[in-house]
Amino acid sequence: MGEHPSPGPAVAACAEAERIEELEPEVEERPPAAPEDFDPGNTGYISTCKFRSLLESQSSKLDPHKREVLLALADSHADGQICYQDFVNLMSNKRSNSFRQAILQGNRRLCSKALLEEKGLNFSQRLIRHVAYETLPREIDRKWYYDSYTCCPPPWFMITVTLLEVAFFLYNGVSLDQFVLQVTHPRYLKNSLVYHPQLRAQAWRYLTYIFMHAGIEHLGLNVVLQLLVGVPLEMVHGATRIALVYVAGVVAGSLAVSVADMTAPVVGSSGGVYALVSAHLANIVMNWSGMKCQFKLLRMAVALICMSMEFGRAVWLRFHPSAYPPCPHPSFVAHLGGVAVGITLGVVILRNYEQRLQDQSLWWIFGAMYTVFVLFAVFWNIFAYSLLDLKLPPPP
């Protein structure tokens, strides 16, 4: 196929996939037949002949397009058997591998060429293809995304967060008359958005500290990583999932500081940024052979170098003599909290494109671990500071 038509067969196939998901309530609530009726030996498979007879008996309840795809699923199994779980996944609206496989192979409408072989694409189509190869490890997922992406809604979350961070930084720069190392200004910590250990009872500070940065050097790297990594990830996985990873990294970062670096304040969005970037890099490593992005080794090295430089800057600043003793400079532990979220919750989310997270056991395991950590940190903040008789810096 020399040119990607619009609308093309692939788009039509995707539209049919969406129609398949809108099954009648009676079909979704109760499968048309129990597995033992078609699998007396309890092998987990049913014959294609019995599967066809099942479809024939239920044809009046199925949309013709749905019936065609289900028949195509039977045709795609040359061994004469169909996994019953594949059938259940289709009928119960689970977006699983079997669902996408039935659309891609069974319906036989998506282009058989790899996306990289397509010619005559306009700029937006090339951009979508580039994002697909940047973030997704499997060709079937890349084709699915390429044909279904409509840019509606756009990647609004990362863009909005970035604009707010830049706006707050410019406002503080004007009000403090300082843009480089703003954190050294004596009035910097008086801002009600900064997390400060003396004001840890003000719960909003565990989140709003992302809008305050130590200086333009701190803001610059975070903004670049948010736009170069966060926006493509949001285009593929959606605002809800990316916001979940980002916010979880932000909260984990401030809570980690309150537990491990109890006397230090926190500023900057590094917790959320490191959660996204570490999840993306871990996903690339785990799917190395499937990721087809260009110069992936070099780009991973550059990303790691940038992250290391930013982390080194944060460590240096933390132990540099404070401009307003006895309060120390902001902590670097939030970076580590973000990385921990990225390689646990973040990896699970990025690995399961178009699949429901509640169907993944690792999602529940890492979700439970994150919940336990949050509860532990909350109780730590309530009781540990007084029990340890810790000398905190005075409130700003």
Side-chain angles (χ1 to χ4, degrees):
M1 183 173 69
E3 190 171 357
H4 186 72
S6 180
V11 179
C14 183
E16 289 188 11
E18 295 177 354
R19 288 195 291 270
I20 292 167
E21 293 183 315
E22 300 171 358
L23 297 177
E24 289 80 357
E26 59 265 66
V27 177
E28 186 174 358
E29 292 174 1
R30 181 172 59 87
E36 57 269 15
D37 297 338
F38 294 87
D39 181 23
N42 197 27
T43 62
Y45 292 85
I46 59 177
S47 69
T48 54
C49 294
K50 292 180 178 179
F51 184 70
R52 283 179 173 277
S53 65
L54 172 63
L55 292 179
E56 293 293 339
S57 64
Q58 299 292 324
S59 59
S60 61
K61 299 180 181 179
L62 290 174
D63 183 273
H65 293 289
K66 303 170 189 174
R67 183 173 175 276
E68 287 178 10
V69 174
L70 290 172
L71 286 172
L73 176 64
D75 292 337
S76 64
H77 288 70
D79 57 359
Q81 295 187 101
I82 296 173
C83 177
Y84 187 79
Q85 188 59 46
D86 286 354
F87 168 68
V88 172
N89 286 345
L90 281 168
M91 300 300 285
S92 61
N93 194 25
K94 288 186 178 179
R95 290 188 165 187
S96 62
N97 290 336
S98 61
F99 182 88
R100 295 198 303 274
Q101 203 71 21
I103 301 301
L104 182 61
Q105 294 182 352
N107 205 29
R108 306 175 191 275
R109 290 197 177 187
L110 286 183
C111 176
S112 59
K113 293 182 180 179
L115 286 180
L116 286 177
E117 299 176 9
E118 298 217 12
K119 307 297 182 182
L121 304 182
N122 58 37
F123 174 78
S124 62
Q125 290 172 329
R126 292 197 301 271
L127 175 62
I128 295 171
R129 182 179 63 178
H130 173 76
V131 170
Y133 276 94
E134 286 289 307
T135 56
L136 296 172
R138 294 184 297 181
E139 186 68 16
I140 182 174
D141 286 335
R142 291 192 282 262
K143 287 185 175 182
W144 181 278
Y145 167 74
Y146 177 74
D147 283 279
S148 61
Y149 184 72
T150 61
C151 198
C152 185
W156 61 268
F157 175 76
M158 292 309 308
I159 293 176
T160 301
V161 169
T162 301
L163 290 176
L164 287 174
E165 290 172 0
V166 173
F168 276 104
F169 175 80
L170 294 176
Y171 173 80
N172 286 318
V174 172
S175 61
L176 300 177
D177 194 23
Q178 185 171 338
F179 290 90
V180 178
L181 284 177
Q182 285 184 356
V183 71
T184 60
H185 196 282
R187 297 203 318 268
Y188 180 83
L189 290 182
K190 295 182 182 295
N191 195 293
S192 59
L193 302 178
V194 176
Y195 169 84
H196 191 282
Q198 282 282 19
L199 304 173
R200 64 187 183 280
Q202 299 175 357
W204 70 84
R205 293 178 181 263
Y206 290 90
L207 183 61
T208 58
Y209 74 92
I210 67 171
F211 299 116
M212 302 291 294
H213 284 79
I216 193 169
E217 67 288 343
H218 186 199
L219 174 72
L221 185 59
N222 282 344
V223 165
V224 169
L225 290 175
Q226 282 181 178
L227 295 179
L228 293 183
V229 178
V231 170
L233 288 178
E234 186 178 346
M235 289 175 64
V236 172
H237 297 280
T240 302
R241 290 190 174 195
I242 297 306
L244 178 61
V245 177
Y246 189 86
V247 173
V250 169
V251 175
S254 55
L255 289 176
V257 172
S258 69
V259 172
D261 196 2
M262 301 168 65
T263 62
V266 189
V267 297
S269 59
S270 297
V273 171
Y274 275 54
L276 288 177
V277 176
S278 59
H280 181 52
L281 295 181
N283 190 43
I284 292 177
V285 172
M286 295 171 65
N287 301 279
W288 186 260
S289 60
M291 298 299 293
K292 302 300 182 182
C293 51
Q294 294 181 329
F295 311 111
K296 55 186 175 183
L297 184 60
L298 175 62
R299 294 163 70 176
M300 277 195 64
V302 171
L304 290 173
I305 291 173
C306 291
M307 293 174 68
S308 300
M309 291 177 59
E310 160 58 19
F311 183 71
R313 180 208 61 81
V315 173
W316 169 83
L317 183 62
R318 169 66 179 86
F319 295 106
H320 190 269
S322 175
Y324 35 86
C327 185
H329 283 308
S331 176
F332 59 86
V333 177
H335 298 67
L336 304 179
V339 171
V341 169
I343 62 177
T344 53
L345 283 176
V347 168
V348 174
I349 291 176
L350 298 191
R351 286 186 65 190
N352 292 282
Y353 170 68
E354 285 295 339
Q355 295 186 50
R356 298 189 301 183
L357 294 177
Q358 58 266 37
D359 295 333
Q360 312 300 317
S361 57
L362 283 178
W363 164 255
W364 295 105
I365 293 173
F366 289 138
M369 292 171 58
Y370 184 82
T371 303
V372 169
F373 167 72
V374 170
L375 292 176
F376 167 78
V378 169
F379 282 102
W380 180 273
N381 276 270
I382 295 174
F383 300 109
Y385 280 76
S386 57
L387 292 176
L388 295 175
D389 195 24
L390 196 66
K391 185 177 181 180
L392 296 177

